[in-house]
């Protein structure tokens, strides 16, 4: 049984609150021992690069760089949408720790296998 | 921006000789140690033209493996191709090259060549389906093309898919599994490419 939880994040540093919230939820899941993944699409893919979360901070929420480090230390995974990294010129060499570039088929396979997705608009 | 040595490998593997010429300096020099002896060539057209003469007419031309590294300031590349030049006989050829780069193009190319050798290994295996997906990824048709190529493989035989796109490396095994096929091996090359062997089981 696939028990993964996939949290979608579509915003980058242009909207720190929207960028941070999926990581808050995913980190709670990871802390609770759940297999948690943040799936970054659109501008959020930049968050998965080295230094990509530096300075991303919303009032009342933890700094995203600290949060992501904690999340990865809690065995959380960050997936970047390959169709979004490619046009932005993001390569594997630029990825931060715990971050992987994946394609739609990988996500579809997880969902077909029972993973649950949590959407953040 | 892809670095010049990696770009050289990509262009060579896709037999894009015009593209190759664009990354070779007009005054480039080449030294080739070939099975018949030593050759020296000077100038972009002569250098690229000689490379083209080896591979342009092959009816089958597939990259089996390659590597890219540096030795001090020099760039070391190697590649092995599987080729069919006479319409029937499968051959392999391996070449090792050291490149010196100028500000924006290749200045010097020193190359050692194995010559075209009969490929007894693939003949013995009996089946040899290959799909070099190049830089195809999930949003530009990899899934459709993979499915089409897989359809050409008889049940019980395998296809080796070479991918370079980082998302494709995660996607292709997932695609194969969802199509009910079996991923039998995944091999990573040092240059960032991945070869995924898929057996068609239905």
């Amino acid at each position: 049984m696939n028990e993964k939880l996939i949290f979608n994040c579509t915003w980058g540093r242009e909207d720190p609150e929207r960028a941070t919230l999926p990581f808050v939820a995913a980190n709670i899941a990871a802390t609770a021992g759940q297999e948690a993944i943040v799936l970054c699409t659109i501008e959020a893919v930049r968050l998965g690069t080295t230094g990509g979360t530096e300075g991303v901070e919303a009032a009342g929420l933890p700094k995203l760089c600290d949060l992501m480090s904690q999340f990865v230390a809690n065995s959380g995974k960050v997936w970047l949408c390959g169709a979004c990294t490619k046009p932005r010129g993001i390569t594997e060499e630029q990825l931060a720790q715990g971050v992987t570039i994946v394609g739609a088929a990988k996500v579809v396979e997880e969902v077909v296998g029972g993973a649950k997705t949590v959407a953040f608009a | 921006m892809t670095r010049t040595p990696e770009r050289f490998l990509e262009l060579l593997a896709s037999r894009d000789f015009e593209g190759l010429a664009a990354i070779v300096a007009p005054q480039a020099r080449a030294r080739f140690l070939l099975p018949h002896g030593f050759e020296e060539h000077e100038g972009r057209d002569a250098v690229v033209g000689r490379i083209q003469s080896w591979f342009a007419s092959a009816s089958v031309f597939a990259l089996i493996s390659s590597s890219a590294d540096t030795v001090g300031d020099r760039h070391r590349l190697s590649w092995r191709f599987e080729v069919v030049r006479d319409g029937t006989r499968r051959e392999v050829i391996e070449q090792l090259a050291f490149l010196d780069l100028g500000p924006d193009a290749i200045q010097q190319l020193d190359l050692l060549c194995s010559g075209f050798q009969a490929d007894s290994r693939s003949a013995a295996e009996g089946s040899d389906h290959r799909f070099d997906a190049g830089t195809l990824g999930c949003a530009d048709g990899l899934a459709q093309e993979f499915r089409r190529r897989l359809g050409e493989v008889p049940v019980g035989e395998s296809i080796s898919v070479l991918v370079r796109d980082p998302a494709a490396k995660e996607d292709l095994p997932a695609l194969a599994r969802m199509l009910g096929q079996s991923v039998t091996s995944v091999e990573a090359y040092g240059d960032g490419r991945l070869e995924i062997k898929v057996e068609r089981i239905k």
Side-chain angles (χ1 to χ4, degrees):
Chain A
M1 165 88 186
N2 187 330
E3 298 187 337
K4 289 192 179 80
L5 291 168
I6 301 176
F7 299 82
N8 191 202
C9 180
T10 59
W11 296 78
R13 63 173 60 247
E14 74 283 6
D15 192 325
E17 190 175 18
R18 284 189 159 104
T20 307
L21 210 58
F23 284 91
V24 172
N27 192 38
I28 288 171
T31 307
Q34 303 299 309
E35 207 177 330
I37 297 157
V38 176
L39 170 64
C40 295
T41 55
I42 326 288
E43 276 300 293
V45 292
R46 299 190 197 277
L47 302 175
T49 59
T50 306
T53 53
E54 288 297 327
V56 179
E57 188 178 1
L61 291 175
K63 288 181 180 172
L64 187 51
C65 62
D66 296 343
L67 183 59
M68 199 194 282
S69 306
Q70 218 179 73
F71 175 58
V72 171
N74 282 332
S75 305
K77 293 190 177 67
V78 180
W79 287 357
L80 308 187
C81 161
C84 307
T85 52
K86 204 174 197 172
R88 289 171 176 81
I90 296 170
T91 63
E92 286 172 300
E93 292 76 33
Q94 299 166 12
L95 302 185
Q97 196 199 340
V99 181
T100 321
I101 296 176
V102 304
K106 174 83 175 164
V107 179
V108 171
E109 187 189 34
E110 295 292 356
V111 173
V112 168
K116 295 172 185 69
T117 59
V118 184
F120 286 82
Chain B
M1 182 74 190
T2 311
R3 292 166 59 233
T4 303
E6 280 77 12
R7 188 81 188 124
F8 182 92
L9 271 177
E10 275 177 30
L11 293 165
L12 182 66
S14 57
R15 288 191 285 184
D16 180 350
F17 299 106
E18 278 182 30
L20 268 185
I23 58 166
V24 173
Q27 308 305 324
R29 301 168 67 92
R31 294 182 290 191
F32 297 146
L33 190 53
L34 307 176
H36 76 83
F38 177 68
E39 288 181 12
E40 261 184 297
H41 298 276
E42 194 168 340
R44 170 196 286 156
D45 293 346
V47 172
V48 177
R50 187 65 177 118
I51 296 171
Q52 187 168 356
S53 74
W54 299 328
F55 302 128
S57 64
S59 58
V60 171
F61 183 77
L63 185 64
I64 299 175
S65 62
S66 67
S67 68
D69 204 348
T70 53
V71 184
D73 290 337
R74 305 200 83 186
H75 295 267
R76 176 195 176 284
L77 293 178
S78 73
W79 51 84
R80 181 181 291 199
F81 290 118
E82 180 180 82
V83 299
V84 174
R85 293 181 299 157
D86 63 0
T88 55
R89 203 162 56 99
R90 221 165 260 280
E91 296 173 309
V92 286
I93 183 167
E94 183 166 308
Q95 296 177 323
L96 168 68
F98 292 94
L99 309 180
D100 292 320
L101 303 184
D104 47 20
I106 295 164
Q107 300 284 351
Q108 174 81 35
L109 168 65
D110 293 334
L111 179 145
L112 172 67
C113 175
S114 69
F116 292 99
Q117 304 295 325
D119 186 8
S120 52
R121 182 190 54 83
S122 65
E125 281 176 2
S127 65
D128 196 22
H129 304 278
R130 290 190 168 275
F131 167 34
D132 187 345
T135 56
L136 279 186
C138 87
D140 44 19
L142 175 70
Q144 291 83 344
E145 187 59 18
F146 171 64
R147 195 170 174 172
R148 192 183 70 75
R149 300 286 188 118
L150 190 69
E152 295 170 354
V153 176
V155 173
E157 292 187 14
S158 293
I159 181 168
S160 288
V161 187
L162 214 52
V163 294
R164 180 179 287 273
D165 179 83
K169 294 177 193 174
E170 297 287 338
D171 257 22
L172 206 100
L175 270 171
R177 288 190 292 264
M178 283 194 285
L179 289 167
Q181 312 302 343
S182 170
V183 178
T184 50
S185 70
V186 178
E187 190 182 346
Y189 295 125
D191 60 359
R193 290 174 312 142
L194 206 65
E195 180 168 344
I196 300 151
K197 195 165 184 179
V198 178
E199 184 185 347
R200 186 164 176 206
I201 53 176
K202 67 175 195 182

